[in-house]
Amino acid sequence: MSTSSNKPGATPRFHVSLPTRSVFAVPDGAGVGIECRSGSVWVTLDRDTRDIVLAPGERFESPEHRRVLVSALEPSCITVSDAQPAAIPLAKRTRARSPWRLLPHGLSPA
């Protein structure tokens, strides 16, 4: 993630590079702009059924106080503008595999 220099009166913004299938979360997306600089990303808002896919040069801004998830469909770079300080990238989740195949049943080895 890189931060652009902010001049007085300029909109705060930063760039985020996202590997394929990685997710960037904005806890409160009200007024936050997401612009796709390269690749393609899928933008999802909590409790919203729309599919929003951005290609390079396209931008989305949410007027509502909802969590925004940006998923990379391929290696991508986005610019996030006017973001809340709590906006952070989510670590890629890895699912542990039980050698005894107990996890699908809600169990794990002792």
Side-chain angles (χ1 to χ4, degrees):
M1 176 169 49
S2 63
T3 305
S4 63
S5 61
N6 294 320
K7 298 177 182 176
T11 302
R13 65 181 185 179
F14 56 92
H15 307 293
V16 180
S17 294
L18 300 170
T20 303
R21 292 191 305 258
S22 62
V23 177
F24 179 81
V26 180
D28 183 356
V32 175
I34 305 292
E35 181 180 350
C36 181
R37 298 173 54 84
S38 65
S40 61
V41 295
W42 177 21
V43 179
T44 307
L45 283 80
D46 282 352
R47 299 177 313 277
D48 191 323
T49 59
R50 293 179 291 171
D51 284 328
I52 304 161
V53 177
L54 302 179
E58 295 181 326
R59 178 181 168 84
F60 173 78
E61 187 171 320
S62 174
E64 301 179 33
H65 292 279
R66 294 182 183 192
R67 181 178 63 158
V68 177
L69 299 177
V70 181
S71 305
L73 300 174
E74 59 185 291
S76 304
C77 181
I78 60 172
T79 297
V80 181
S81 58
D82 211 25
Q84 303 296 318
I88 57 170
L90 293 178
K92 183 177 178 182
R93 292 186 179 189
T94 57
R95 189 172 183 183
R97 304 289 282 174
S98 170
W100 300 284
R101 299 180 187 255
L102 297 174
L103 289 178
H105 303 287
L107 304 171
S108 63

